[in-house]
Amino acid sequence: MRASTLEKILFIIFDCIANSLCFLLFFAKFELSVLAVLLWFLMFLCTGLYRRWLLDSRTAQVLHILKVVGAAYILTMAVLFGYSKLDIWAFLNDAKYITGYFFSVWLSVSILRLLICKILRLFLNKGWGADYVILLGCTNEAREYSSLFKDNPQLGKKIIGVVEENLGLVKTFDGLPVLGTYSDLPNLIKKNNAQAIIIAHRSNSEKKINQILYWVAHLPVRIYLVPSLWECAKNFKTSGQPTIVHSKELQELFIMNLHPWQATVKRIMDIAIAVFLLIITSPLLLLTAIAIKLDSKGSVFYKQQRVGLHSRQFTVYKFRSMQSDAEKDGPQWAKRNDSRITRVGKIIRKFRIDEIPQLLCVLKGDMSMVGPRPERGVFIEKLRKTIPFYASRLKMKPGLTGWAQVRHHYDNDIEDVKIKLGYDIYYLSNASILLDIQILIRTIYVVLTGKGAQ
């Protein structure tokens, strides 16, 4: 088990124990303590206290806990003051217990977390639980990072080998095995369960980085660049400050800039909106199914394999809007005024009614309400060879709607795909709950006006 996984499990367990004991100490009500523990867990989860803290400053973690507990304390005191109906003595009597309770929560949670991190760092020093990292390039910068992680095992990263484009007779580098070439990366990452790669090759060509991203952008692996390569990657380097590792900097590519609490809220919104829409559109769904059946031969629905987060395959469901033999000549994009589209299909595509069954995919967790549209594997394979870093879309969970969908029309050709990729990468770098809400509101306008449909 990785140290980061064990860290999260231990944090949850001991946070719950500490919060429960503190509540019982001051209020001695077991039933209410269960509710209090649940509320603290949700609050800690939404405020990022269950992300990885092992490699961060101890002071930063303690202050973050203080900030969360302090905000909860102020809110509780405000509610208590209102409940006391201006009886200042009753308020002060209750306030001393509330103050003691919140202080004990902050102190006990902080001490236990620091103790857990201390123990896990000892394990890391013994070589247990580290994240596996692959270096790209036999260069001086690669040697520096290799030495850094080798000399500081408490950082939780272990270089397992090097990948070099021109192997030649090189078998080892700085005591590390040369594992293969760039084209071997997908297999090497899966085989060695690597969590990250560090690009440190000699070439400062953007084209060369594009070639590397062709092999790895779609995989569940973190991608870092050394400082000398930042300039050539400026066109696709996502926002965010460089990661500082013992005074050395690394820039991560394709970061999903969504705070932990926002990711939780986003999933809750997905489920709530999907259930709500399925309920209120149920009469429309029934009428659509009848119309499709009467209009043309074939099934009402069609299902298709699409590629989702980190290249995971899943089944997508839609109302059939084309003739049942529409792809007898093989997969192809829909065109403007496409003759394969049925009469009912034109209507349901115009108002996006054909997409509604995909709400089931949202409920299953294969899709989100907002994200890049899921594409078919056959098209992804073609597009990632043609369009630089196209596969970076697979760093995000696909969505029913997205920034690209409300800003651009259906794909008609490769140029449309390039334009929409730019919007998808913008969403990756700027993802937030507010942006999701904006996209959902724009989607309502698109649906009601039929804008961009074909």
Side-chain angles (χ1 to χ4, degrees), residues 202-434:
R202 292 181 180 83
S203 174
N204 59 0
S205 164
E206 181 178 324
K207 181 179 179 181
K208 182 60 62 179
I209 292 183
N210 288 339
Q211 290 176 352
I212 295 171
L213 295 178
Y214 169 80
W215 297 111
V216 301
H218 62 292
L219 299 175
V221 64
R222 306 185 82 159
I223 306 169
Y224 296 98
L225 278 179
V226 297
S228 62
L229 298 176
W230 292 0
E231 183 61 26
C232 64
K234 62 184 178 182
N235 291 330
F236 50 87
K237 187 169 62 180
T238 51
S239 60
Q241 294 298 317
T243 300
I244 308 297
V245 184
H246 267 226
S247 76
K248 289 187 177 295
E249 293 183 330
L250 288 170
Q251 177 70 58
E252 185 172 359
L253 303 184
F254 307 124
I255 308 171
M256 184 65 166
N257 288 322
L258 199 64
H259 294 295
W261 72 268
Q262 290 187 323
T264 304
V265 172
K266 180 179 173 73
R267 181 58 186 153
I268 294 172
M269 284 176 53
D270 284 346
I271 295 173
I273 294 173
V275 170
F276 173 74
L277 290 179
L278 283 171
I279 292 173
I280 66 169
T281 61
S282 54
L284 176 62
L285 298 180
L286 178 60
L287 291 175
T288 302
I290 295 172
I292 292 172
K293 200 65 179 176
L294 294 175
D295 182 52
S296 60
K297 294 181 180 180
S299 62
V300 170
F301 301 98
Y302 90 96
K303 58 184 181 179
Q304 202 173 65
Q305 287 298 109
R306 296 288 175 98
V307 180
L309 179 67
H310 300 319
S311 294
R312 297 191 188 106
Q313 297 276 340
F314 70 98
T315 303
V316 72
Y317 306 93
K318 297 179 73 173
F319 278 123
R320 181 174 60 83
S321 61
M322 290 188 174
Q323 301 292 343
S324 56
D325 62 349
E327 294 196 331
K328 59 184 179 181
D329 298 323
Q332 52 186 293
W333 275 315
K335 303 177 179 63
R336 193 175 297 279
N337 300 319
D338 199 315
S339 60
R340 299 174 299 162
I341 301 175
T342 64
R343 290 172 296 178
V344 171
K346 290 179 181 178
I347 298 173
I348 63 176
R349 286 170 71 92
K350 181 176 182 179
F351 295 101
R352 281 14 183 227
I353 298 173
D354 60 321
E355 310 282 2
I356 296 177
Q358 290 175 58
L359 291 169
L360 297 174
C361 300
V362 175
L363 289 177
K364 288 171 61 179
D366 293 327
M367 294 175 60
S368 175
M369 287 302 300
V370 179
R373 291 293 296 147
E375 191 52 89
R376 298 166 70 176
V378 62
F379 291 137
I380 285 180
E381 192 57 34
K382 292 178 180 178
L383 293 170
R384 62 197 284 258
K385 292 178 180 178
T386 308
I387 305 175
F389 49 92
Y390 178 81
S392 65
R393 298 171 79 253
L394 302 178
K395 290 289 187 185
M396 301 171 274
K397 184 181 287 189
L400 190 65
T401 184
W403 189 236
Q405 281 61 53
V406 299
R407 300 286 294 179
H408 201 65
H409 52 69
Y410 274 114
D411 303 340
N412 289 312
D413 52 40
I414 195 71
E415 291 305 315
D416 286 333
V417 176
K418 291 179 180 178
I419 292 171
K420 295 179 85 168
L421 175 62
Y423 288 125
D424 287 334
I425 291 178
Y426 174 87
Y427 177 76
L428 175 68
S429 301
N430 298 277
S432 69
I433 295 300
L434 287 178

